[in-house]
Structure formats: structure tokens, C-alpha cells
Amino acid sequence: NYHRGRGIPSLADWLSEHVKQVHHPRSGYQTCMSCGSTDALSKTITLIKTDSILFDQYAYGAAVTTAEALGKLPIGVPGDSQGMIPDALRRSILAAKAKGLSPRLLYLVPVGQNPTGLTMSLDRKKEILDVCREQDIAIVEDGIALF
């Protein structure tokens, strides 16, 4: 948390090895340490060329204000009892593009979503992933994976 640059070397090395063994990334990957989810989101937003970011209609306030502080327009996507609705996501993307925007990033909290507390089913997550693949949208998933 208080170490500069790459982070504590032993932790950074462990993290890189863990990602390699568990997630099998493409070759040439790199890991990046952060001091929390908002810091990680801020770093990600600066790396992705986008003028707008897709969020749940009711989203974590610090994430939305971070996007706004970095000059990105937040776009709220409607949800239901399972979280973000895939068809609503698709419609929101197409509506933004029709207005001349180029959304390239979706911020998603699928487990214990803040502020609603909802948790998405694996099937819903797959549907969201399909829409993002179809529309070429990167996903920033803030949370834990339940497999």
C-alpha cells in the first residue's frame, strides 16, 4: 500500500505467478498492483480510449465520480432482480453510439453490487459477456469470482 512503483517485489512476483497458473493469460501479460478498487479503476480508465463508461443504473458512487473526474460520461444501464439486463446494455451501447459517443468500458460489480447488494447468476454474467464481445466493450469487474 505504501510501496512505490511495482509494489512489494515478493507480493508482485507471487501475484504474477498466481495469475499465470490460475488464469492462463495470453503471453506477454503484465500484472499491476493497486491500493484498492477505485485506484485500479482510475488506472484502467486512463488506459482505455473511451469518452463514456457503462455502469449499473444504481452504481457505486466513487466509481461514477472517478469516471467523471477523468472526463468520462457515465451511462447508467437498467437492471432487474438479477442485476444489469443484457438487452438494456445492448440498447444503451447502441443509443450512446447513435449520439456520437464511443463507449468502450463497462464497470460491473456482479457479486454484492453496491448499493443494491444484488448478485448476478453465472448465466446472466455470460449474457453480459456476450453483449460486450459483440459490441467490443472491455469489462472492469470489481469484486470476487465465484466458481
Side-chain angles (χ1 to χ4, degrees), residues 35-84:
C35 59
S37 64
T38 304
D39 178 50
L41 177 61
S42 175
K43 289 174 179 176
T44 303
I45 290 171
T46 61
L47 291 172
I48 305 245
K49 186 177 181 179
T50 187
D51 54 16
S52 50
I53 299 175
L54 300 144
F55 291 91
D56 282 293
Q57 184 174 8
Y58 302 103
Y60 177 50
V64 174
T65 57
T66 297
E68 290 173 327
L70 294 170
K72 312 305 177 187
L73 177 69
I75 299 170
V77 179
D80 60 16
S81 64
Q82 294 184 52
M84 186 177 287

